[in-house]
Amino acid sequence: MEHLEQHERMEMWEKIEQALVNEQIDQFRAEFLELHPYDQAKIFEEQEEQIRFLIYSYLSPEEMADVIEQVDEDLVTDFITEMVPGFAAKILEHMSTDDAVDLLNELDKNKVASFLTIMDKKSSAEIKELLHYEEKTAGSIMTTEYVVITTKMTVKDAMRHLRKEAPDAETIYYIYVVDSFKKLVGVISLRDLIIAEGDWLIQDVMSDRVVSVPVGEDQEDIAKMMRDYDFLALPVIDFQEHLLGIITVDDIMDVMEEEASDDYSKLAGISDVESSGSTALASAKKRLPWLILLLYLGMITASVIQRFQDSLEEVAVLAIFIPVIGGMAGNTGTQALAVAVRSISTGESEKRGKVSLIWNETKTGLLTGVTCGVLITLTVMLWQQNIYLGLLVGVAIMATLLVATVSGAIIPLIMHRLNIDPAVASGPFITTLNDLISTVIYFGLATTFLSYLV
Amino acid sequence: MEHLEQHERMEMWEKIEQALVNEQIDQFRAEFLELHPYDQAKIFEEQEEQIRFLIYSYLSPEEMADVIEQVDEDLVTDFITEMVPGFAAKILEHMSTDDAVDLLNELDKNKVASFLTIMDKKSSAEIKELLHYEEKTAGSIMTTEYVVITTKMTVKDAMRHLRKEAPDAETIYYIYVVDSFKKLVGVISLRDLIIAEGDWLIQDVMSDRVVSVPVGEDQEDIAKMMRDYDFLALPVIDFQEHLLGIITVDDIMDVMEEEASDDYSKLAGISDVESSGSTALASAKKRLPWLILLLYLGMITASVIQRFQDSLEEVAVLAIFIPVIGGMAGNTGTQALAVAVRSISTGESEKRGKVSLIWNETKTGLLTGVTCGVLITLTVMLWQQNIYLGLLVGVAIMATLLVATVSGAIIPLIMHRLNIDPAVASGPFITTLNDLISTVIYFGLATTFLSYLV
């Protein structure tokens, strides 16, 4: 079976839907439950309210939990709140704790409290424990459904324990080993476990070099670690090294996607690039704060030019190079910004040192500046038949590229130092700022050497 | 054990280095081989040639293969070519086939051929088979080291087979089932296998709904599939459904990082944002093609303004709003571009339809245009005490935002239709293009209504 494309899902659904509306419950269940939960969720998302309520009545909370876990995060709260609360609470009980917590984090406090009250005690206690971790930390993405064994077990005991726990555990491919104080002391992969002899002790076959993350660790750093070390899961510990939970690779893939989309959105100067199905009004609301801020930053540039109005009136041809100089400042600034933001987020800037990064961008800015400056000097000389104008525009481009490249690199580094997410210094922001700087450089030079131009 | 930060690695290394230079081989090996291969590789990368050659002589090709697999792809070819060819060939034999193929793909053809000749026949045959797959397809990222079982085996047979194959297989957590024609017919997870009874037949416990990818599938689509379905591995098949290899989640995490970095770089108008340790000259070389292209695109804008020189000379104040109008066009275009590129790469544009996406951006452009237009009209009226100038700038901003938003969305969609990677239409490119469009709009309007302005 190929995975299902959108249109295949719809074809498959048409068949299943007949069974549903004709109340052929068994047939509907047989067909629908054969699908991968992801496909079930994508089909479910597309349905009208009426059909959704039929599905709720034909599936058990446990079956529905598999579907809900895969539903788009923008839609899932609507579905959970439209259900009979008792049914929704049962679904939450059957979901992975980490997914249930993600969902509850999107609801308002009263709803969360009422769900927690009607849920069974064990699940609600587990969820409560996870709910208070800060967003985007290890605590907020870990799950408490993992298999744990102790050092004194034999391999055979461990396998027996594993078989019992397997159906509920998020993963059984890494098994974490704790001592009698619940301190994390080792790890063994299922691969190593199945090739070990049955009567060996776990403490003799486990690896005691277990890599773990503290519960407050940032999710982006965890993703990098998991990718570097090729782990399928990572244990989360408190400051006394007690095992609190595990983070699995499937959740980390979602984190990677989220972080990449986040960086990308910020480079484009937009709060969230990927809200599916958003209306034009919602899109406009998200973009307008940035646009209005940039509009008034642009007005500062306008007022700067007005101060040079005299030069402009004397040499009107100066105006025609305003866009190219401002544009180049923006372009090179965005390039330098992207390099700096990435080298911060990959840890490269720590490794090479910030000074080295800035120095490197300075040299790069000088090289690109001189190249473009010479090109533009020659071009303008030939085009406008004016040596001094050519020199002016060329020197302005050169100075602009140098300053804009350096500022594109320095600003995110300063923000990082001040603990502000450097990706907030988005492309358009840097572009507009560099527009302003370049205008000052250009008209400053032009006014100083005005006598050569008239 | 925490994972190792850069400085911890260096501290650890200082201890190990002593053993190395004092020729205490056993002590060096004991300490170095205790580390995770990723940390081994990061330490190894930092060493001088002399130390590297000591390490080559103290480690076996098999141990060295673990290190080389984790070395940065920009550095690995240098290391492999500095070794004695026979030693390098032995390392290649011991590497995962997919990693060995990645490495060989970076070497020139003569070197590849000579390595393949001195390698053992089995490894070189496996590698040759993979070398001809196109980059960034399933074939190029799959590995041939997987465990395969047949439908007629019992669970016990399968477990015995698994224990034997475990040390060499890339993963044993998904086991693929083939029929007697080597056709892929099912899959069983190790989790399900260990809870099944020993005398059951595989065909009765396996899932026959196995999701697979064709060998030519794009790696970005595979990453999306793996993330959606939460798989740890995916089987790769040919057009007759023969099993050719598997793709594991650790490689997919690298693909996700690569693709995200790629999209990010292109949005910033730079060919590769993340080449670690590149010199200023190398950076300048990478950025200059874009910058020079944009420079001459900017000169077109300059020549457009020159055509309106008469208007400019009559109403010099017009010049001061050139940057803000061009800037806003660039900003909104970049936002729309980012949304379109992401919706193409996530498949959202297919789902909602391109027309709906463009229509949505049109409405968004209208809303942002009217809002910013009204604001700027009022601001300019108050500032310049000139109603007509306020109206001119306001209407120009409005028209510009509308057109720039729509073009930011349409251009990547057209490129996608023409099978050009839409991410090539980078932010700076769209920005510069929109700069040009906005200039025409602004001066066109100004010239038409010039009599009101003088």
Side-chain angles (χ1 to χ4, degrees), chain A residues 38 163 166 191 194 229 257 269 274 296 335 342 346 361 379, chain B residues 39 163 166 191 194 257 269 274 287 296 335 342 346 379:
Chain A
Y38 177 76
R163 285 199 189 90
R191 185 199 286 242
I194 64 166
Y229 289 87
E257 183 60 27
E274 223 169 352
Y296 283 96
Q335 291 179 331
R342 288 304 289 192
T346 59
E361 285 298 322
T379 310
Chain B
D39 295 316
R163 284 198 188 93
R191 187 199 285 244
I194 64 167
E257 184 59 27
E274 225 171 350
R287 297 184 202 174
Y296 284 95
Q335 291 179 329
R342 287 304 289 190
T346 58
T379 310

PDB file of all heavy atoms in Angstrom, chain A residues 38 163 166 191 194 229 257 269 274 296 335 342 346 361 379, chain B residues 39 163 166 191 194 257 269 274 287 296 335 342 346 379:
ATOM      1  N   TYR A  38      -3.351   8.337  11.082  1.00  0.00           N
ATOM      2  CA  TYR A  38      -3.137   9.616  10.410  1.00  0.00           C
ATOM      3  C   TYR A  38      -4.185   9.819   9.320  1.00  0.00           C
ATOM      4  O   TYR A  38      -4.764  10.906   9.182  1.00  0.00           O
ATOM      5  CB  TYR A  38      -1.730   9.702   9.818  1.00  0.00           C
ATOM      6  CG  TYR A  38      -1.479  10.979   9.057  1.00  0.00           C
ATOM      7  CD1 TYR A  38      -1.244  12.172   9.727  1.00  0.00           C
ATOM      8  CD2 TYR A  38      -1.497  11.000   7.661  1.00  0.00           C
ATOM      9  CE1 TYR A  38      -1.030  13.350   9.042  1.00  0.00           C
ATOM     10  CE2 TYR A  38      -1.285  12.178   6.963  1.00  0.00           C
ATOM     11  CZ  TYR A  38      -1.046  13.351   7.648  1.00  0.00           C
ATOM     12  OH  TYR A  38      -0.841  14.510   6.966  1.00  0.00           O
ATOM     13  N   ARG A 163       7.058  -7.255  27.881  1.00  0.00           N
ATOM     14  CA  ARG A 163       5.900  -7.783  27.152  1.00  0.00           C
ATOM     15  C   ARG A 163       4.608  -7.287  27.778  1.00  0.00           C
ATOM     16  O   ARG A 163       3.650  -6.983  27.087  1.00  0.00           O
ATOM     17  CB  ARG A 163       5.919  -9.318  27.171  1.00  0.00           C
ATOM     18  CG  ARG A 163       6.930  -9.901  26.239  1.00  0.00           C
ATOM     19  CD  ARG A 163       6.656 -11.355  25.895  1.00  0.00           C
ATOM     20  NE  ARG A 163       7.806 -11.874  25.158  1.00  0.00           N
ATOM     21  CZ  ARG A 163       8.862 -12.447  25.727  1.00  0.00           C
ATOM     22  NH1 ARG A 163       8.900 -12.630  27.045  1.00  0.00           N
ATOM     23  NH2 ARG A 163       9.871 -12.849  24.981  1.00  0.00           N
ATOM     24  N   ALA A 166       4.408  -3.368  27.036  1.00  0.00           N
ATOM     25  CA  ALA A 166       4.518  -2.941  25.632  1.00  0.00           C
ATOM     26  C   ALA A 166       3.273  -2.235  25.083  1.00  0.00           C
ATOM     27  O   ALA A 166       3.397  -1.209  24.417  1.00  0.00           O
ATOM     28  CB  ALA A 166       4.899  -4.115  24.744  1.00  0.00           C
ATOM     29  N   ARG A 191      17.340  -4.030  21.115  1.00  0.00           N
ATOM     30  CA  ARG A 191      18.247  -4.781  20.259  1.00  0.00           C
ATOM     31  C   ARG A 191      19.278  -5.550  21.095  1.00  0.00           C
ATOM     32  O   ARG A 191      19.497  -6.743  20.891  1.00  0.00           O
ATOM     33  CB  ARG A 191      18.960  -3.803  19.323  1.00  0.00           C
ATOM     34  CG  ARG A 191      19.847  -4.416  18.283  1.00  0.00           C
ATOM     35  CD  ARG A 191      20.832  -3.397  17.741  1.00  0.00           C
ATOM     36  NE  ARG A 191      20.220  -2.422  16.841  1.00  0.00           N
ATOM     37  CZ  ARG A 191      20.574  -2.286  15.549  1.00  0.00           C
ATOM     38  NH1 ARG A 191      21.498  -3.069  15.012  1.00  0.00           N
ATOM     39  NH2 ARG A 191      20.020  -1.373  14.798  1.00  0.00           N
ATOM     40  N   ILE A 194      17.530  -8.381  23.379  1.00  0.00           N
ATOM     41  CA  ILE A 194      17.128  -9.672  22.802  1.00  0.00           C
ATOM     42  C   ILE A 194      18.321 -10.548  22.422  1.00  0.00           C
ATOM     43  O   ILE A 194      18.157 -11.747  22.231  1.00  0.00           O
ATOM     44  CB  ILE A 194      16.171  -9.545  21.572  1.00  0.00           C
ATOM     45  CG1 ILE A 194      16.862  -8.855  20.401  1.00  0.00           C
ATOM     46  CG2 ILE A 194      14.862  -8.882  21.941  1.00  0.00           C
ATOM     47  CD1 ILE A 194      16.104  -9.006  19.091  1.00  0.00           C
ATOM     48  N   TYR A 229      23.025  12.472  17.801  1.00  0.00           N
ATOM     49  CA  TYR A 229      23.359  11.171  18.384  1.00  0.00           C
ATOM     50  C   TYR A 229      22.527  10.021  17.808  1.00  0.00           C
ATOM     51  O   TYR A 229      22.692   8.886  18.221  1.00  0.00           O
ATOM     52  CB  TYR A 229      23.192  11.220  19.902  1.00  0.00           C
ATOM     53  CG  TYR A 229      24.236  12.049  20.626  1.00  0.00           C
ATOM     54  CD1 TYR A 229      24.073  13.414  20.815  1.00  0.00           C
ATOM     55  CD2 TYR A 229      25.390  11.460  21.110  1.00  0.00           C
ATOM     56  CE1 TYR A 229      25.023  14.174  21.479  1.00  0.00           C
ATOM     57  CE2 TYR A 229      26.352  12.205  21.780  1.00  0.00           C
ATOM     58  CZ  TYR A 229      26.169  13.562  21.952  1.00  0.00           C
ATOM     59  OH  TYR A 229      27.110  14.301  22.608  1.00  0.00           O
ATOM     60  N   GLU A 257      10.053  20.444  12.787  1.00  0.00           N
ATOM     61  CA  GLU A 257       9.210  21.092  11.800  1.00  0.00           C
ATOM     62  C   GLU A 257       8.721  22.441  12.324  1.00  0.00           C
ATOM     63  O   GLU A 257       8.742  23.446  11.623  1.00  0.00           O
ATOM     64  CB  GLU A 257       8.034  20.170  11.470  1.00  0.00           C
ATOM     65  CG  GLU A 257       7.097  20.661  10.409  1.00  0.00           C
ATOM     66  CD  GLU A 257       7.775  20.875   9.072  1.00  0.00           C
ATOM     67  OE1 GLU A 257       8.787  20.198   8.798  1.00  0.00           O
ATOM     68  OE2 GLU A 257       7.313  21.743   8.306  1.00  0.00           O
ATOM     69  N   GLY A 269       9.154  37.940   8.297  1.00  0.00           N
ATOM     70  CA  GLY A 269       8.422  38.994   8.999  1.00  0.00           C
ATOM     71  C   GLY A 269       6.952  38.710   9.118  1.00  0.00           C
ATOM     72  O   GLY A 269       6.096  39.519   8.762  1.00  0.00           O
ATOM     73  N   GLU A 274       2.202  29.111   8.789  1.00  0.00           N
ATOM     74  CA  GLU A 274       1.623  27.821   8.441  1.00  0.00           C
ATOM     75  C   GLU A 274       0.305  27.505   9.136  1.00  0.00           C
ATOM     76  O   GLU A 274       0.084  26.401   9.588  1.00  0.00           O
ATOM     77  CB  GLU A 274       2.620  26.731   8.811  1.00  0.00           C
ATOM     78  CG  GLU A 274       2.722  25.697   7.741  1.00  0.00           C
ATOM     79  CD  GLU A 274       3.892  24.794   8.033  1.00  0.00           C
ATOM     80  OE1 GLU A 274       4.669  25.072   8.958  1.00  0.00           O
ATOM     81  OE2 GLU A 274       4.002  23.787   7.361  1.00  0.00           O
ATOM     82  N   TYR A 296       6.079  52.882   9.553  1.00  0.00           N
ATOM     83  CA  TYR A 296       6.542  54.082  10.262  1.00  0.00           C
ATOM     84  C   TYR A 296       8.070  54.136  10.347  1.00  0.00           C
ATOM     85  O   TYR A 296       8.656  55.222  10.363  1.00  0.00           O
ATOM     86  CB  TYR A 296       5.841  54.227  11.614  1.00  0.00           C
ATOM     87  CG  TYR A 296       4.440  54.755  11.391  1.00  0.00           C
ATOM     88  CD1 TYR A 296       3.353  53.894  11.315  1.00  0.00           C
ATOM     89  CD2 TYR A 296       4.230  56.110  11.168  1.00  0.00           C
ATOM     90  CE1 TYR A 296       2.077  54.373  11.045  1.00  0.00           C
ATOM     91  CE2 TYR A 296       2.964  56.601  10.896  1.00  0.00           C
ATOM     92  CZ  TYR A 296       1.883  55.728  10.833  1.00  0.00           C
ATOM     93  OH  TYR A 296       0.643  56.222  10.546  1.00  0.00           O
ATOM     94  N   GLN A 335      20.947  38.514   4.001  1.00  0.00           N
ATOM     95  CA  GLN A 335      21.881  37.396   3.869  1.00  0.00           C
ATOM     96  C   GLN A 335      22.702  37.213   5.151  1.00  0.00           C
ATOM     97  O   GLN A 335      22.800  36.115   5.692  1.00  0.00           O
ATOM     98  CB  GLN A 335      22.835  37.630   2.694  1.00  0.00           C
ATOM     99  CG  GLN A 335      22.157  37.556   1.332  1.00  0.00           C
ATOM    100  CD  GLN A 335      23.123  37.825   0.191  1.00  0.00           C
ATOM    101  OE1 GLN A 335      24.096  38.558   0.348  1.00  0.00           O
ATOM    102  NE2 GLN A 335      22.865  37.224  -0.956  1.00  0.00           N
ATOM    103  N   ARG A 342      21.209  31.334  11.830  1.00  0.00           N
ATOM    104  CA  ARG A 342      21.461  29.895  11.747  1.00  0.00           C
ATOM    105  C   ARG A 342      22.669  29.503  12.579  1.00  0.00           C
ATOM    106  O   ARG A 342      22.683  28.454  13.203  1.00  0.00           O
ATOM    107  CB  ARG A 342      21.687  29.444  10.298  1.00  0.00           C
ATOM    108  CG  ARG A 342      20.439  29.447   9.455  1.00  0.00           C
ATOM    109  CD  ARG A 342      19.339  28.624  10.017  1.00  0.00           C
ATOM    110  NE  ARG A 342      19.601  27.195   9.939  1.00  0.00           N
ATOM    111  CZ  ARG A 342      18.694  26.261  10.164  1.00  0.00           C
ATOM    112  NH1 ARG A 342      17.467  26.590  10.485  1.00  0.00           N
ATOM    113  NH2 ARG A 342      19.005  25.002  10.086  1.00  0.00           N
ATOM    114  N   THR A 346      22.411  26.710  15.431  1.00  0.00           N
ATOM    115  CA  THR A 346      23.131  25.435  15.345  1.00  0.00           C
ATOM    116  C   THR A 346      24.290  25.360  16.337  1.00  0.00           C
ATOM    117  O   THR A 346      24.991  24.370  16.392  1.00  0.00           O
ATOM    118  CB  THR A 346      23.724  25.209  13.939  1.00  0.00           C
ATOM    119  OG1 THR A 346      24.601  26.286  13.650  1.00  0.00           O
ATOM    120  CG2 THR A 346      22.647  25.122  12.883  1.00  0.00           C
ATOM    121  N   GLU A 361      32.078  38.410   8.678  1.00  0.00           N
ATOM    122  CA  GLU A 361      31.059  39.143   7.929  1.00  0.00           C
ATOM    123  C   GLU A 361      31.599  40.495   7.466  1.00  0.00           C
ATOM    124  O   GLU A 361      31.228  40.984   6.403  1.00  0.00           O
ATOM    125  CB  GLU A 361      29.801  39.350   8.793  1.00  0.00           C
ATOM    126  CG  GLU A 361      28.958  38.086   8.961  1.00  0.00           C
ATOM    127  CD  GLU A 361      28.420  37.560   7.643  1.00  0.00           C
ATOM    128  OE1 GLU A 361      28.033  38.359   6.777  1.00  0.00           O
ATOM    129  OE2 GLU A 361      28.421  36.327   7.461  1.00  0.00           O
ATOM    130  N   THR A 379      29.132  51.381 -14.371  1.00  0.00           N
ATOM    131  CA  THR A 379      27.825  51.404 -15.026  1.00  0.00           C
ATOM    132  C   THR A 379      27.239  52.821 -15.050  1.00  0.00           C
ATOM    133  O   THR A 379      26.765  53.301 -16.085  1.00  0.00           O
ATOM    134  CB  THR A 379      26.855  50.457 -14.287  1.00  0.00           C
ATOM    135  OG1 THR A 379      27.479  49.197 -14.120  1.00  0.00           O
ATOM    136  CG2 THR A 379      25.559  50.267 -15.070  1.00  0.00           C
TER     137      THR A 379
ATOM    138  N   ASP B  39      30.532  12.238  19.605  1.00  0.00           N
ATOM    139  CA  ASP B  39      31.559  12.990  20.332  1.00  0.00           C
ATOM    140  C   ASP B  39      32.961  12.622  19.832  1.00  0.00           C
ATOM    141  O   ASP B  39      33.836  13.480  19.721  1.00  0.00           O
ATOM    142  CB  ASP B  39      31.444  12.737  21.835  1.00  0.00           C
ATOM    143  CG  ASP B  39      30.141  13.281  22.399  1.00  0.00           C
ATOM    144  OD1 ASP B  39      29.789  14.414  22.030  1.00  0.00           O
ATOM    145  OD2 ASP B  39      29.485  12.576  23.165  1.00  0.00           O
ATOM    146  N   ARG B 163      18.051 -12.132  15.963  1.00  0.00           N
ATOM    147  CA  ARG B 163      19.195 -12.088  16.878  1.00  0.00           C
ATOM    148  C   ARG B 163      20.497 -12.192  16.095  1.00  0.00           C
ATOM    149  O   ARG B 163      21.483 -11.556  16.429  1.00  0.00           O
ATOM    150  CB  ARG B 163      19.117 -13.235  17.890  1.00  0.00           C
ATOM    151  CG  ARG B 163      18.099 -12.981  18.956  1.00  0.00           C
ATOM    152  CD  ARG B 163      18.310 -13.857  20.184  1.00  0.00           C
ATOM    153  NE  ARG B 163      17.160 -13.672  21.069  1.00  0.00           N
ATOM    154  CZ  ARG B 163      16.078 -14.451  21.044  1.00  0.00           C
ATOM    155  NH1 ARG B 163      16.004 -15.486  20.220  1.00  0.00           N
ATOM    156  NH2 ARG B 163      15.079 -14.189  21.857  1.00  0.00           N
ATOM    157  N   ALA B 166      20.889  -8.808  14.026  1.00  0.00           N
ATOM    158  CA  ALA B 166      20.823  -7.547  14.775  1.00  0.00           C
ATOM    159  C   ALA B 166      22.100  -6.698  14.724  1.00  0.00           C
ATOM    160  O   ALA B 166      22.030  -5.485  14.517  1.00  0.00           O
ATOM    161  CB  ALA B 166      20.411  -7.792  16.225  1.00  0.00           C
ATOM    162  N   ARG B 191       8.027  -4.773  18.611  1.00  0.00           N
ATOM    163  CA  ARG B 191       7.107  -4.710  19.739  1.00  0.00           C
ATOM    164  C   ARG B 191       6.032  -5.794  19.619  1.00  0.00           C
ATOM    165  O   ARG B 191       5.763  -6.524  20.573  1.00  0.00           O
ATOM    166  CB  ARG B 191       6.453  -3.326  19.748  1.00  0.00           C
ATOM    167  CG  ARG B 191       5.583  -3.029  20.948  1.00  0.00           C
ATOM    168  CD  ARG B 191       4.647  -1.872  20.640  1.00  0.00           C
ATOM    169  NE  ARG B 191       5.313  -0.580  20.647  1.00  0.00           N
ATOM    170  CZ  ARG B 191       5.017   0.405  21.524  1.00  0.00           C
ATOM    171  NH1 ARG B 191       4.092   0.223  22.450  1.00  0.00           N
ATOM    172  NH2 ARG B 191       5.630   1.557  21.455  1.00  0.00           N
ATOM    173  N   ILE B 194       7.620  -9.483  19.873  1.00  0.00           N
ATOM    174  CA  ILE B 194       7.976 -10.069  21.172  1.00  0.00           C
ATOM    175  C   ILE B 194       6.763 -10.415  22.020  1.00  0.00           C
ATOM    176  O   ILE B 194       6.881 -11.165  22.973  1.00  0.00           O
ATOM    177  CB  ILE B 194       8.959  -9.188  22.008  1.00  0.00           C
ATOM    178  CG1 ILE B 194       8.326  -7.851  22.388  1.00  0.00           C
ATOM    179  CG2 ILE B 194      10.289  -8.993  21.297  1.00  0.00           C
ATOM    180  CD1 ILE B 194       9.138  -7.126  23.469  1.00  0.00           C
ATOM    181  N   GLU B 257      16.449  18.628   8.436  1.00  0.00           N
ATOM    182  CA  GLU B 257      17.333  19.740   8.748  1.00  0.00           C
ATOM    183  C   GLU B 257      17.864  20.366   7.454  1.00  0.00           C
ATOM    184  O   GLU B 257      17.899  21.580   7.306  1.00  0.00           O
ATOM    185  CB  GLU B 257      18.491  19.227   9.606  1.00  0.00           C
ATOM    186  CG  GLU B 257      19.445  20.279  10.087  1.00  0.00           C
ATOM    187  CD  GLU B 257      18.779  21.348  10.930  1.00  0.00           C
ATOM    188  OE1 GLU B 257      17.750  21.054  11.565  1.00  0.00           O
ATOM    189  OE2 GLU B 257      19.289  22.480  10.927  1.00  0.00           O
ATOM    190  N   GLY B 269      18.070  34.645   0.110  1.00  0.00           N
ATOM    191  CA  GLY B 269      18.816  34.955  -1.104  1.00  0.00           C
ATOM    192  C   GLY B 269      20.274  34.600  -0.989  1.00  0.00           C
ATOM    193  O   GLY B 269      21.168  35.403  -1.250  1.00  0.00           O
ATOM    194  N   GLU B 274      24.684  27.484   5.673  1.00  0.00           N
ATOM    195  CA  GLU B 274      25.237  26.746   6.784  1.00  0.00           C
ATOM    196  C   GLU B 274      26.517  25.997   6.473  1.00  0.00           C
ATOM    197  O   GLU B 274      26.691  24.863   6.857  1.00  0.00           O
ATOM    198  CB  GLU B 274      24.191  25.751   7.256  1.00  0.00           C
ATOM    199  CG  GLU B 274      24.083  25.753   8.740  1.00  0.00           C
ATOM    200  CD  GLU B 274      22.886  24.933   9.162  1.00  0.00           C
ATOM    201  OE1 GLU B 274      22.073  24.546   8.313  1.00  0.00           O
ATOM    202  OE2 GLU B 274      22.795  24.668  10.346  1.00  0.00           O
ATOM    203  N   ARG B 287      27.554  34.804  -2.191  1.00  0.00           N
ATOM    204  CA  ARG B 287      26.511  35.828  -2.144  1.00  0.00           C
ATOM    205  C   ARG B 287      26.530  36.740  -3.358  1.00  0.00           C
ATOM    206  O   ARG B 287      25.514  37.290  -3.752  1.00  0.00           O
ATOM    207  CB  ARG B 287      26.684  36.688  -0.894  1.00  0.00           C
ATOM    208  CG  ARG B 287      26.515  35.878   0.357  1.00  0.00           C
ATOM    209  CD  ARG B 287      26.595  36.760   1.580  1.00  0.00           C
ATOM    210  NE  ARG B 287      26.942  35.977   2.750  1.00  0.00           N
ATOM    211  CZ  ARG B 287      27.188  36.495   3.934  1.00  0.00           C
ATOM    212  NH1 ARG B 287      27.134  37.795   4.112  1.00  0.00           N
ATOM    213  NH2 ARG B 287      27.490  35.712   4.953  1.00  0.00           N
ATOM    214  N   TYR B 296      21.618  44.905 -10.685  1.00  0.00           N
ATOM    215  CA  TYR B 296      21.184  45.352 -12.011  1.00  0.00           C
ATOM    216  C   TYR B 296      19.667  45.394 -12.130  1.00  0.00           C
ATOM    217  O   TYR B 296      19.118  46.217 -12.864  1.00  0.00           O
ATOM    218  CB  TYR B 296      21.875  44.549 -13.109  1.00  0.00           C
ATOM    219  CG  TYR B 296      23.307  45.036 -13.262  1.00  0.00           C
ATOM    220  CD1 TYR B 296      24.367  44.410 -12.621  1.00  0.00           C
ATOM    221  CD2 TYR B 296      23.574  46.198 -13.989  1.00  0.00           C
ATOM    222  CE1 TYR B 296      25.663  44.896 -12.710  1.00  0.00           C
ATOM    223  CE2 TYR B 296      24.866  46.707 -14.083  1.00  0.00           C
ATOM    224  CZ  TYR B 296      25.905  46.052 -13.450  1.00  0.00           C
ATOM    225  OH  TYR B 296      27.172  46.562 -13.530  1.00  0.00           O
ATOM    226  N   GLN B 335       6.355  38.347   2.770  1.00  0.00           N
ATOM    227  CA  GLN B 335       5.382  37.625   3.597  1.00  0.00           C
ATOM    228  C   GLN B 335       4.544  36.669   2.751  1.00  0.00           C
ATOM    229  O   GLN B 335       4.401  35.489   3.081  1.00  0.00           O
ATOM    230  CB  GLN B 335       4.446  38.620   4.303  1.00  0.00           C
ATOM    231  CG  GLN B 335       5.131  39.454   5.377  1.00  0.00           C
ATOM    232  CD  GLN B 335       4.185  40.440   6.046  1.00  0.00           C
ATOM    233  OE1 GLN B 335       3.247  40.923   5.416  1.00  0.00           O
ATOM    234  NE2 GLN B 335       4.442  40.734   7.301  1.00  0.00           N
ATOM    235  N   ARG B 342       5.736  27.800   1.693  1.00  0.00           N
ATOM    236  CA  ARG B 342       5.441  26.789   2.709  1.00  0.00           C
ATOM    237  C   ARG B 342       4.216  25.981   2.322  1.00  0.00           C
ATOM    238  O   ARG B 342       4.171  24.780   2.534  1.00  0.00           O
ATOM    239  CB  ARG B 342       5.202  27.425   4.078  1.00  0.00           C
ATOM    240  CG  ARG B 342       6.453  27.934   4.730  1.00  0.00           C
ATOM    241  CD  ARG B 342       7.524  26.901   4.885  1.00  0.00           C
ATOM    242  NE  ARG B 342       7.218  25.896   5.883  1.00  0.00           N
ATOM    243  CZ  ARG B 342       8.098  25.012   6.323  1.00  0.00           C
ATOM    244  NH1 ARG B 342       9.320  24.995   5.863  1.00  0.00           N
ATOM    245  NH2 ARG B 342       7.757  24.125   7.213  1.00  0.00           N
ATOM    246  N   THR B 346       4.342  21.984   2.031  1.00  0.00           N
ATOM    247  CA  THR B 346       3.588  21.107   2.926  1.00  0.00           C
ATOM    248  C   THR B 346       2.418  20.435   2.211  1.00  0.00           C
ATOM    249  O   THR B 346       1.676  19.673   2.812  1.00  0.00           O
ATOM    250  CB  THR B 346       3.005  21.890   4.125  1.00  0.00           C
ATOM    251  OG1 THR B 346       2.166  22.927   3.605  1.00  0.00           O
ATOM    252  CG2 THR B 346       4.093  22.492   4.985  1.00  0.00           C
ATOM    253  N   THR B 379      -1.163  60.433   7.939  1.00  0.00           N
ATOM    254  CA  THR B 379       0.154  60.841   8.429  1.00  0.00           C
ATOM    255  C   THR B 379       0.791  61.882   7.511  1.00  0.00           C
ATOM    256  O   THR B 379       1.281  62.910   7.982  1.00  0.00           O
ATOM    257  CB  THR B 379       1.079  59.615   8.530  1.00  0.00           C
ATOM    258  OG1 THR B 379       0.405  58.581   9.235  1.00  0.00           O
ATOM    259  CG2 THR B 379       2.370  59.953   9.247  1.00  0.00           C
TER     260      THR B 379
END
